[in-house]
Amino acid sequence: MAEAHQAVGFRTSLTSDGAEVELSAPVLQEIYLSGLRSWKRHLSRFWALVRIFSGRHPMLFSYQRSLPRQPVPSVQDTVRKYLESVRPVLSDEDFDWTAVLAQEFLRLQASLLQWYLRLKSWWASNYVSDWWEEFVYLRSRNPLMVNSNYYMMDFLYVTPTPLQAARAGNAVHALLLYRHRLNRQEIPPTLLMGMRPLCSAQYEKIFNTTRIPGVQKDYIRHLHDSQHVAVFHRGRFFRVGTHSRNSLLSPRALEQQFQRILDDPSPACPHEEHLAALTAAPRGTWAQVRRSLKTQAAEALEAVEGAAFFVSLDAEPAGLTREDPAASLDAYAHALLAGRGHDRWFDKSFTLIVFSNGKLGLSVEHSWADCPISGHMWEFTLATECFQLGYSTDGHCKGHPDPTLPRPQRLQWDLPDQIHSSISLALRGAKILSENVDCHVFPFSLFGKSFIRRCHLSSDSFIQIALQLAHFRDRGQFCLTYESAMTRLFLEGRTETVRSCTREACNFVRAMEDKEKTDPQCLALFRVAVDKHQALLKAAMSGQGVDRHLFALYVVSRFLHLQSPFLTQVHSEQWQLSTSQIPVQQMHLFDVHNYPDYVSSGGGFGPADDHGYGVSYIFMGDDMITFHISSKKSSTKTDSHRLGQHIEDALLDVASLFQAGQHFKRRFRGSGKEDSRHRCGFLSRQTGASKTSMTSTYF
């Protein structure tokens, strides 16, 4: 999701003085160490492999050793595909110069760099993923907030209980049930099309994980177990135990503990309230301050960093409101992505955010895994806390409190005077960063996946081509477009980039803007563009993409101290449109027919470029698509709400090319365009509360 921003910035992480020293090691040594790390991970999972032949259902890691290694593509094919991808966005002169650089690269350097990559692919589990984690994420010195983290939303239209402590109790219990299943490998491995297993390696670090800042490079600290969560409320930190006599606390007992925190009248200590702003600071700055903190407040710091995860009990409500649905949903997204800059511990693998009205959300650190992993956990959490655990008629968790439980432990921070100014500076920077991001979320309910299926088209490709039309109308030009695709068909695979701004997509957009072109002509070009996108997506998922190969070639060139003008130019590109689909992976957990509103509304991330957009989307059931758009307020070229309107128009214009979709446009524009978004998107689900028998609050 947010990886495009990190991918753009990774080149600077290779040019700092410290990083340059790190890369002076021989490339063969680095490849050797990559292999050792791979084998250590394999040995740690070996016990799970014994279960494959035990007659049981496949376990989470059952297929790991049967997964193929990610292939190293032909360097000639990669360069050819790259040149094809940039042709629509470059002038003739710039393209000719790029082609010259590419040919020089193929002639002078490509074969040597490719040899090292092939060597690594034979020795290590994956030729690119460990370098991707290190150079794109852990060596980045940018603040995590907005630049790297992403968020996940609650149900859009319903809140199962308005009681904050109760929602926190059920949610934390559900998350820990997921961790229990994870530890026992009881989560079934994901199968693509029900047949091909996907790599499960990223699941290992969901819980008990913290990204520890370093001056030049961060590292990921993962604990085998943790029996507490760290909680933040009104500027104070607490340690809440999650187990009693080695058994998980009941939801009602957890609710009791969270309610004790909410009822605690004690004030925050000086500077404690804004302490977490340090985790939103540039990584080198935070690393230096953390050294003092570790000396003066080691116990409190360990309670936070050693927690299963972080919980923020916000003092304000959030979510969709009837009075101002558009603004309230935008504010909800902003609260999840950035908060106030000091009320999330951005280093933790994820922060569970519980608002005062019972609304939920996640803020997720990106380095340890990609969105489908946290999304899988989040789907389980929402379904379990709502459908399996449930709430009593008065909104509390089911069961009884446990008065014998000790009260949550208030963490004491002995903050040295020298870090007070650092906290103030970090808070100021976090507020500037937070206030500069423009979030816009809107549900599009005129049609969804079912209509696109009836058109015999890929739903993702349909949206991607429509986004090209919307962006062109917004900016008047084409730009490099980043769409994240997974490579988990391969051992320890992570992601690859689909470059969605193709020549075929541009031809379709130009035809749509040409009044002399007929609908049949535009439709034919649209189908060609969709087919091209599908081909690129399949190539990316099968390890034949462009960007990860070029990234790995560039890393090897830096290890060898080889200057390549072509690779330098490739990695100076800006992604002005970064996109991602949020997958719904466990539809069996939700009853979309009887409870259509009980589906997650997806999530979003910050823009990859100061003058660009971040766009994510999720298909909610069969007849709704929710879009999450972000941009920078400081840019005069972008406006998240303006792009949202262009996306709505583009979807309708594309749908109207199909005979079955022409009525959508008439419905949308029949009673005025200004309030159409509120009418057909936000308020269409108000009827339907009668379908639910559980305690729930609409809006």
Side-chain angles (χ1 to χ4, degrees):
M1 293 182 69
E3 66 192 36
H5 188 284
Q6 299 299 103
V8 169
F10 97 91
R11 193 167 66 92
T12 59
S13 72
L14 289 175
T15 56
S16 66
D17 292 340
E20 200 68 63
V21 172
E22 291 279 346
L23 295 188
S24 65
V27 64
L28 289 175
Q29 177 182 332
E30 175 61 26
I31 292 172
Y32 172 74
L33 293 175
S34 293
L36 284 186
R37 290 191 292 266
S38 299
W39 285 106
K40 286 181 180 179
R41 288 191 294 269
H42 292 169
L43 290 173
S44 68
R45 301 188 198 117
F46 180 77
W47 68 271
L49 303 178
V50 179
R51 302 287 190 91
I52 297 177
F53 304 104
S54 64
R56 302 188 180 191
H57 294 294
M59 303 181 74
L60 181 61
F61 292 138
S62 291
Y63 296 112
Q64 288 300 100
R65 292 295 294 271
S66 66
L67 291 172
R69 296 187 181 187
Q70 187 167 337
V72 180
S74 159
V75 69
Q76 289 80 11
D77 286 347
T78 295
V79 170
R80 174 183 56 78
K81 292 175 182 177
Y82 170 79
L83 292 175
E84 179 184 340
S85 74
V86 298
R87 187 64 189 93
V89 300
L90 295 180
S91 65
D92 291 343
E93 181 180 356
D94 288 342
F95 179 77
D96 289 343
W97 175 244
T98 302
V100 169
L101 294 180
Q103 291 305 315
E104 182 183 66
F105 168 71
L106 289 174
R107 182 170 56 87
L108 298 178
Q109 298 154 327
S111 59
L112 176 62
L113 303 181
Q114 183 79 344
W115 183 86
Y116 281 107
L117 285 189
R118 291 194 182 280
L119 179 64
K120 186 183 178 187
S121 73
W122 296 332
W123 172 244
S125 298
N126 191 289
Y127 82 91
V128 65
S129 289
D130 60 332
W131 285 349
W132 183 255
E133 177 183 292
E134 177 179 350
F135 294 112
V136 170
Y137 292 111
L138 300 182
R139 284 185 182 267
S140 172
R141 302 295 82 196
N142 293 323
L144 300 184
M145 187 182 76
V146 177
N147 296 315
S148 179
N149 73 313
Y150 59 92
Y151 65 86
M152 307 290 289
M153 277 189 171
D154 196 358
F155 304 123
L156 186 60
Y157 296 104
V158 294
T159 306
T161 177
L163 302 182
Q164 184 178 19
R167 195 79 196 280
N170 261 11
V172 169
H173 187 85
L175 284 164
L176 294 172
L177 287 178
Y178 187 88
R179 186 181 69 168
H180 178 73
R181 296 185 63 189
L182 179 64
N183 290 341
R184 294 172 59 88
Q185 313 302 328
E186 292 174 352
I187 298 172
T190 304
L191 302 179
L192 185 66
M193 307 295 290
M195 295 182 292
R196 293 193 60 181
L198 302 184
C199 181
S200 300
Q202 294 181 49
Y203 284 92
E204 295 177 349
K205 296 177 182 176
I206 295 181
F207 297 95
N208 325 325
T209 298
T210 304
R211 176 170 169 174
I212 304 298
V215 175
Q216 298 169 358
K217 171 188 170 184
D218 295 355
Y219 71 92
I220 296 176
R221 180 191 181 206
H222 174 69
L223 302 179
H224 176 70
D225 191 23
S226 175
Q227 297 199 352
H228 75 277
V229 294
V231 182
F232 180 88
H233 176 250
R234 291 190 180 276
R236 305 159 305 163
F237 292 81
F238 296 84
R239 183 188 189 278
V240 176
T242 56
H243 292 69
S244 178
R245 303 181 188 90
N246 293 323
S247 63
L248 180 60
L249 291 183
S250 70
R252 189 66 181 88
L254 287 167
E255 177 190 351
Q256 169 188 294
Q257 297 297 75
F258 293 127
Q259 190 61 53
R260 285 173 168 176
I261 292 174
L262 295 175
D263 295 339
D264 187 333
S266 62
C269 297
H271 299 283
E272 178 189 16
E273 178 181 2
H274 301 142
L275 176 65
L278 291 168
T279 67
R283 303 305 289 171
T285 301
W286 169 215
Q288 292 173 342
V289 176
R290 183 180 173 276
R291 290 175 178 173
S292 299
L293 201 62
K294 192 171 178 62
T295 301
Q296 301 290 329
E299 184 177 347
L301 183 63
E302 176 59 26
V304 173
E305 294 183 342
F309 50 90
F310 196 76
V311 179
S312 181
L313 299 176
D314 278 22
E316 302 296 329
L320 194 61
T321 64
R322 203 182 298 271
E323 295 74 24
D324 194 347
S328 62
L329 201 53
D330 295 349
Y332 179 27
H334 187 275
L336 293 176
L337 181 64
R340 296 183 176 183
H342 63 83
D343 48 3
R344 318 279 185 254
W345 199 271
F346 290 102
D347 291 355
K348 290 300 293 180
S349 54
F350 67 90
T351 295
L352 173 68
I353 303 162
V354 190
F355 296 95
S356 63
N357 60 345
K359 213 67 181 173
L360 287 180
L362 282 186
S363 173
V364 187
E365 201 280 308
H366 208 322
S367 65
W368 58 274
D370 301 308
C371 177
I373 305 302
S374 55
H376 190 279
M377 174 194 70
W378 191 231
E379 289 173 6
F380 176 92
T381 301
L382 291 179
T384 300
E385 66 95 13
C386 187
F387 292 110
Q388 302 300 321
L389 301 177
Y391 299 89
S392 60
T393 55
D394 58 0
H396 289 282
C397 297
K398 295 178 180 178
H400 303 283
D402 184 355
T404 65
L405 283 178
R407 298 183 66 84
Q409 176 189 351
R410 175 78 184 274
L411 300 184
Q412 302 298 324
W413 300 89
D414 183 11
L415 301 177
D417 293 339
Q418 61 265 32
I419 75 166
H420 292 175
S421 60
S422 299
I423 294 175
S424 299
L425 288 173
L427 179 62
R428 189 181 313 161
K431 285 185 174 179
I432 292 173
L433 189 57
S434 172
E435 291 170 358
N436 192 31
V437 66
D438 180 22
C439 295
H440 180 47
V441 181
F442 70 93
F444 180 86
S445 62
L446 282 172
F447 65 83
K449 190 160 50 177
S450 62
F451 165 73
I452 299 174
R453 279 204 208 101
R454 291 199 303 272
C455 298
H456 305 289
L457 295 169
S458 157
S459 54
D460 182 67
S461 297
F462 186 102
I463 299 299
Q464 284 291 324
I465 306 306
L467 286 177
Q468 291 300 316
L469 176 59
H471 185 270
F472 184 83
R473 289 173 173 174
D474 183 79
R475 297 288 296 272
Q477 62 185 24
F478 298 107
C479 72
L480 283 176
T481 303
Y482 188 113
E483 181 190 7
S484 180
M486 64 91 180
T487 54
R488 288 170 56 213
L489 288 168
F490 304 103
L491 183 61
E492 297 184 10
R494 289 200 61 163
T495 61
E496 177 58 275
T497 305
V498 178
R499 293 176 167 240
S500 301
C501 184
T502 62
R503 180 180 57 187
E504 292 78 3
C506 294
N507 289 341
F508 162 72
V509 170
R510 292 190 186 97
M512 289 292 287
E513 300 301 276
D514 186 347
K515 295 181 180 179
E516 296 183 0
K517 296 293 185 181
T518 64
D519 282 359
Q521 289 175 312
C522 292
L523 179 57
L525 291 171
F526 180 74
R527 290 190 179 278
V528 171
V530 165
D531 289 344
K532 178 63 175 181
H533 179 267
Q534 273 289 286
L536 291 178
L537 179 59
K538 291 176 181 176
M541 292 176 62
S542 60
Q544 298 300 316
V546 170
D547 288 271
R548 298 304 175 270
H549 187 200
L550 291 175
F551 160 80
L553 290 167
Y554 182 71
V555 172
V556 174
S557 75
R558 297 310 305 267
F559 274 116
L560 296 174
H561 302 288
L562 291 179
Q563 295 297 320
S564 169
F566 171 69
L567 292 177
T568 300
Q569 177 170 312
V570 167
H571 291 100
S572 64
E573 294 172 341
Q574 300 297 316
W575 301 97
Q576 293 189 359
L577 182 58
S578 176
T579 69
S580 180
Q581 180 188 168
I582 309 297
V584 180
Q585 305 168 78
Q586 303 170 91
M587 285 305 298
H588 64 280
L589 297 179
F590 302 92
D591 186 350
V592 295
H593 297 291
N594 293 319
Y595 305 106
D597 297 330
Y598 286 83
V599 179
S600 171
S601 46
F605 52 92
D609 184 73
D610 287 342
H611 300 288
Y613 291 107
V615 180
S616 68
Y617 47 95
I618 184 172
F619 292 93
M620 297 174 60
D622 287 334
D623 299 307
M624 180 176 287
I625 313 165
T626 299
F627 289 87
H628 300 250
I629 306 171
S630 67
S631 61
K632 295 288 184 68
K633 293 179 181 178
S634 57
S635 173
T636 59
K637 299 178 181 180
T638 56
D639 184 311
S640 296
H641 294 74
R642 186 182 68 208
L643 180 63
Q645 188 62 65
H646 284 307
I647 290 174
E648 286 186 339
D649 291 341
L651 289 171
L652 290 167
D653 288 343
V654 172
S656 67
L657 298 176
F658 300 85
Q659 186 174 3
Q662 292 177 356
H663 69 287
F664 293 131
K665 208 171 197 176
R666 293 193 296 270
R667 281 174 53 198
F668 183 77
R669 293 172 179 166
S671 58
K673 195 170 179 179
E674 282 190 11
D675 66 345
S676 57
R677 181 184 297 131
H678 296 182
R679 181 182 68 254
C680 70
F682 289 114
L683 304 182
S684 62
R685 299 282 189 157
Q686 290 184 45
T687 61
S690 59
K691 294 182 180 179
T692 65
S693 59
M694 57 192 70
T695 302
S696 59
T697 303
Y698 270 65
F699 300 97

